[in-house]
Amino acid sequence: MPNPWTGVGNPYTKQEVRERLKKTITNKKAIIAAGAGTGISAKFIERGGADLIIIYNSGRFRMAGHGSTAGMMAYGDANAEALEIGEFEVLPVVQEVPVICGVHGSDPRRRMWHHLLKIKDMGFSGVNNFPTHSIVDGHFRQVLEETGMGFAKEVEMIRLATKMDLFSIVYVATPEEAKQMADAGADAIISHVGTTVGGSIGVVNASRSMDFSIERTQEIIEAGRSVNPDIFFLAHGGPINTPEDVRQILDQTDAHGFVGASSLERMGVEESLTELTRAFKALPLR
């Protein structure tokens, strides 16, 4: 439903976003959600037909030429940066696609109910749990959990967003996390299988295999579905980078679609700017 004050599509209610995604599936199309770190990225991602646009702090690092993992580090205020990108860059240019705001759910400086109210008031149609501690493992993950800054805080944030009628699309890395998010009311669950491979700042040796990604994605889908069969399931990261990679995921799992950040925004810029510059440089003088 268009916003009566602006005449454009944002914001949408939780149910309205769900209906849009159901229509995509009914039309036998994959759901494509895309991360945007700048206004121009969002503008042309929308023109390309994405179903959702997601904003989070990693987008700013990514488009500044740094690895997306920078968004997990203490290099700034993740929640403030997501709001800033939304207010001044993305929301003013996106006309019709629902825009989702990344939320660092474990931020101890935020009254989360108040932060979510600001997100809703600004015109976002939903939330996403990023930065997410689901992709942190080992001893540091244990420390986060034991000191009250773990994944449980992200689950609490989604439970609160559900009560506020905000659509939620969440990252998880394990089947157990999928169950927790499903129980909290998540509308869409993303199987996060690692940092995206390829390009100038993608991972190489730290990447998961495609076989692992397919198996883990299906395990996450089955776990989430056991709690709520009406959830949308998407895949992200690791070796799932190109349309051909996503085709494998769609053919070999029950996933409904794909979330692209580096694989859409960064890779598109890297490839197009490189080739365009080479074309200009190839011009000879008379």
Side-chain angles (χ1 to χ4, degrees), residues 12-22 125 165-167 187 232:
Y12 295 94
T13 66
K14 177 186 181 80
Q15 189 57 37
E16 287 168 343
V17 179
R18 291 186 58 86
E19 290 301 324
R20 289 171 64 93
L21 299 185
K22 287 179 182 177
S125 298
D165 194 38
L166 280 163
F167 178 85
D187 296 287
F232 303 99

Side-chain angles (χ1 to χ4, degrees), residues 27-134:
N27 291 335
K28 304 295 183 183
K29 299 290 186 180
I31 296 169
I32 301 298
T38 66
I40 196 166
S41 297
K43 187 173 186 176
F44 288 93
I45 284 168
E46 178 175 40
R47 189 171 295 185
D51 297 284
L52 300 171
I53 292 174
I54 307 176
I55 298 170
Y56 37 74
N57 68 326
S58 273
R60 175 162 284 177
F61 287 107
R62 180 169 57 243
M63 299 311 287
H66 310 297
S68 295
T69 306
M72 296 290 296
M73 306 299 289
Y75 298 151
D77 185 336
N79 282 319
E81 287 180 1
L83 292 184
E84 186 177 89
I85 296 168
E87 183 169 13
F88 298 115
E89 295 195 49
V90 174
L91 289 171
V93 301
V94 172
Q95 295 296 303
E96 199 268 338
V97 174
V99 180
I100 309 300
C101 185
V103 178
H104 195 184
S106 65
D107 186 343
R109 303 163 301 172
R110 292 298 194 281
R111 294 169 295 160
M112 195 49 64
W113 62 270
H114 183 251
H115 186 63
L116 294 181
L117 283 174
K118 286 198 294 184
I119 286 170
K120 190 170 185 177
D121 185 60
M122 282 178 61
F124 287 100
S125 298
V127 295
N128 165 254
N129 62 324
F130 194 92
T132 175
H133 295 167
S134 68

Side-chain angles (χ1 to χ4, degrees), residues 265-283:
E265 186 178 37
R266 173 173 64 82
M267 300 296 277
V269 170
E270 286 185 12
E271 293 171 9
S272 62
L273 286 182
T274 300
E275 292 307 312
L276 186 59
T277 304
R278 284 174 178 164
F280 278 115
K281 282 297 294 179
L283 296 172

